[in-house]
């Protein structure tokens, strides 16, 4: 597993290159699509991680992948760089770090919202509006339906958790009783 | 010696009839005796003087020893006379010491017993608290599990919507 520090280093370098050229969103989407392909086909990662397979052969596989995914020149060059540095098998982590870096530079914060049941549209909008007011940033809500929750909603902004779940109330009650 | 000389004198005119041939022999004998006396007088006198000194010394030592023995006997008699007092004193002192020792041991035993009692009380208290906490935890966990099961069973859609609305209100509160 690649360390987060290394993935962030690549992500920052790529962001430094793409932001002045306004290519960051395109590259982010392309990397995300390729990362999904890697995720769905673990064999791809294995091929690029295998030291027995010659580099020329890996280059051919990558070229095929690039052509089929119709990625731009910047993304293609970045992928070749990763292959040369033996990091291509870590594309998922690097794509995720890049997306976070793009969000950070755009002032977008991703908030994970967990709910016992899917939110209604009006609830979703209210949550979104209040989270943006709370953080003072553009918020991207990642909604997760968590069936382990009894009821209510939890929102995680970075390391901070706003917990409005029934589970949290029960836990608070349990702690109070134990005192 | 006188008896011998009288024997010799009587022998001269005696039944042996040695007046003619016996006299030189007597003279010789006398000379021999005189020479013997002359030669042995000093060493024999010396011997007897030494012997007398040795006997006197031994007598002196015996006297001293007798006196020392007499003194020791006197001391022993005196000690014997004081023995009852000493025994009584020793017994009194021993009784006193035994009493003090008994007191000390008694105090130490009491202190130790007190310490053990306090420790036992603390341990009992700790065990009681631990048991209480364990029981309390068990009951609370059971109650919580039951509450979760009931809530999961009985929460309606309206309840869910109400919980979401409360969360949104909470966010609004915080973001103000």
């Amino acid at each position: 597993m690649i360390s987060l520090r290394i993935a962030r280093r690549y992500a920052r370098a790529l962001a430094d290159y793409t932001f002045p050229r306004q290519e960051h969103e395109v590259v982010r989407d392309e990397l995300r699509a390729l990362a999904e392909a890697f995720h769905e086909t673990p064999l791809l990662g294995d091929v690029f991680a295998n030291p027995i397979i010659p580099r020329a052969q890996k280059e051919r596989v990558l070229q095929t992948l690039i052509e089929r995914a119709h990625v731009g020149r910047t993304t293609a060059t970045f992928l070749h760089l990763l292959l040369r540095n033996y990091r291509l098998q870590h594309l998922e982590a690097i794509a995720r770090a890049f997306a976070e870096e793009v969000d950070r530079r755009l002032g977008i914060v991703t908030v994970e919202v967990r709910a016992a049941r899917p939110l209604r549209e009006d609830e979703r909008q209210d949550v979104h509006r209040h989270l943006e007011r709370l953080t003072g940033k553009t918020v991207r809500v990642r909604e997760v339906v968590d069936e382990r929750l009894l009821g209510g909603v939890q929102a995680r902004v970075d390391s901070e958790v706003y917990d409005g779940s029934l589970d949290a109330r029960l836990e608070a009650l349990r702690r109070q009783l134990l005192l | 010696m006188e008896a011998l000389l009288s024997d010799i004198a009587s022998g001269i005119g005696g039944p042996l009839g040695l007046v003619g041939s016996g006299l030189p022999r007597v003279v010789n004998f006398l000379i021999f005796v005189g020479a013997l006396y002359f030669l042995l007088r000093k060493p024999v006198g010396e011997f007897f003087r030494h012997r007398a000194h040795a006997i006197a010394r031994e007598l002196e030592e015996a006297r001293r020893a007798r006196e020392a023995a007499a003194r020791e006997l006197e001391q022993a008699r005196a000690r014997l006379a004081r023995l009852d007092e000493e025994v009584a004193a020793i017994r009194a002192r021993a009784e006193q010491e035994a009493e003090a020792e008994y007191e000390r041991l008694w105090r130490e035993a009491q202190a130790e017993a007190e310490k053990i009692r306090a420790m036992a009380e603390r341990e009992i208290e700790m065990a009681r608290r631990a048991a209480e906490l364990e029981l309390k935890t068990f009951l609370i966990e059971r109650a919580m599990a039951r509450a979760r099961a009931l809530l999961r069973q009985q929460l309606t859609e309206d309840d869910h919507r109400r919980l979401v609305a409360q969360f949104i209100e909470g966010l609004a509160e915080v973001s103000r």
Side-chain angles (χ1 to χ4, degrees):
Chain A
M1 191 63 194
I2 191 172
S3 85
L4 197 60
R5 202 157 53 87
I6 296 170
R8 281 184 180 156
R9 196 182 299 156
Y10 277 96
R12 274 199 301 275
L14 186 58
D16 289 345
Y17 182 82
T18 53
F19 263 80
R21 293 169 178 75
Q22 295 293 311
E23 289 177 342
H24 50 275
E25 291 191 347
V26 176
V27 171
R28 179 193 63 200
D29 294 344
E30 287 173 352
L31 285 180
R32 188 179 288 156
L34 281 167
E36 275 173 22
F38 269 63
H39 183 73
E40 284 165 12
T41 318
L43 185 64
L44 274 175
D46 293 344
V47 166
F48 290 117
N50 193 335
I52 298 169
I53 299 172
R55 171 113 160 261
Q57 209 170 332
K58 289 179 184 175
E59 289 277 4
R60 280 200 296 278
V61 174
L62 179 62
Q63 195 51 45
T64 309
L65 202 64
I66 288 168
E67 282 165 12
R68 285 193 186 168
H70 301 294
V71 298
R73 207 166 65 86
T74 304
T75 307
T77 308
F78 182 66
L79 292 173
H80 280 292
L81 174 78
L82 289 180
L83 178 64
R84 204 164 55 243
N85 292 351
Y86 306 101
R87 302 289 190 196
L88 193 57
Q89 66 271 28
H90 305 302
L91 183 64
E92 284 180 76
I94 294 168
R96 197 162 45 243
F98 182 65
E100 285 170 6
E101 182 64 21
V102 169
D103 282 354
R104 196 182 63 77
R105 293 190 184 199
L106 292 175
I108 296 171
V109 59
T110 301
V111 178
E112 188 183 88
V113 173
R114 289 182 172 272
R117 295 189 186 183
L119 298 177
R120 286 192 319 226
E121 192 49 39
D122 59 323
E123 291 170 338
R124 197 169 290 129
Q125 283 174 9
D126 281 347
V127 168
H128 189 264
R129 195 176 66 249
H130 288 300
L131 284 172
E132 283 198 333
R133 196 184 295 168
L134 181 71
T135 57
K137 292 179 180 173
T138 306
V139 167
R140 180 184 295 121
V141 172
R142 190 163 68 232
E143 191 181 328
V144 178
V145 176
D146 189 346
E147 290 179 356
R148 286 171 305 176
L149 288 176
L150 286 171
V153 185
Q154 290 174 338
R156 182 185 291 275
V157 184
D158 292 331
S159 58
E160 212 163 335
V161 177
Y162 297 91
D163 201 336
S165 68
L166 204 52
D167 305 69
R169 292 187 202 182
L170 273 180
E171 180 57 22
L173 178 64
R174 190 182 77 89
R175 286 187 184 183
Q176 203 177 339
L177 287 171
L178 278 174
L179 285 176
Chain B
M1 183 64 77
E2 284 173 10
L4 180 64
L5 287 175
S6 79
D7 280 348
I8 291 167
S10 65
I12 290 170
L16 290 175
L18 295 175
V19 176
S21 58
L23 185 63
R25 290 176 66 184
V26 169
V27 172
N28 281 343
F29 177 73
L30 288 175
I31 290 165
F32 172 73
V33 168
L36 204 63
Y37 173 74
F38 182 77
L39 286 172
L40 294 178
R41 187 173 49 128
K42 270 192 177 176
V44 168
E46 194 69 18
F47 169 77
F48 281 112
R49 259 197 311 280
H50 278 298
R51 181 75 187 132
H53 283 153
I55 289 166
R57 204 165 48 243
E58 282 171 9
L59 282 172
E60 181 61 23
E61 281 172 6
R63 188 184 60 78
R64 283 182 194 151
R66 198 182 64 239
E67 281 173 6
R71 275 198 303 276
E72 279 180 13
L73 180 65
E74 195 56 37
Q75 283 173 358
R77 278 184 183 147
R79 207 179 298 153
L80 197 63
R82 289 198 309 272
L83 194 60
D84 286 346
E85 288 173 25
E86 277 183 22
V87 167
I90 289 167
R91 184 177 294 162
R93 198 163 55 241
E95 280 175 2
Q96 216 171 0
E97 282 174 2
E99 184 74 17
E101 183 67 7
Y102 172 79
E103 285 292 328
R104 189 182 65 78
L105 288 175
W106 176 245
R107 277 197 304 277
E108 279 181 7
Q110 274 185 323
E112 190 65 25
E114 181 58 31
K115 216 186 292 176
I116 290 167
R117 192 185 60 77
M119 203 190 301
E121 277 180 2
R122 274 201 303 277
E123 278 176 12
I124 289 167
E125 181 59 19
M126 276 165 64
R128 188 185 65 76
R129 282 187 193 169
E132 242 179 48
L133 183 66
E134 199 178 330
L135 181 63
K136 191 175 165 184
T137 308
F138 172 75
L139 291 173
I140 290 168
E141 296 299 343
R142 286 291 299 269
M144 286 296 141
R146 182 79 185 127
R148 286 182 72 84
L150 282 174
L151 284 169
R152 202 173 280 285
Q153 243 177 20
Q154 295 177 6
L155 269 182
T156 62
E157 187 59 29
D158 285 347
D159 295 327
H160 279 289
R161 301 279 70 93
R162 208 175 301 122
L163 285 167
V164 174
Q166 283 173 2
F167 174 71
I168 292 166
E169 276 172 31
L171 274 185
E173 282 281 320
V174 181
S175 61
R176 249 181 228 139

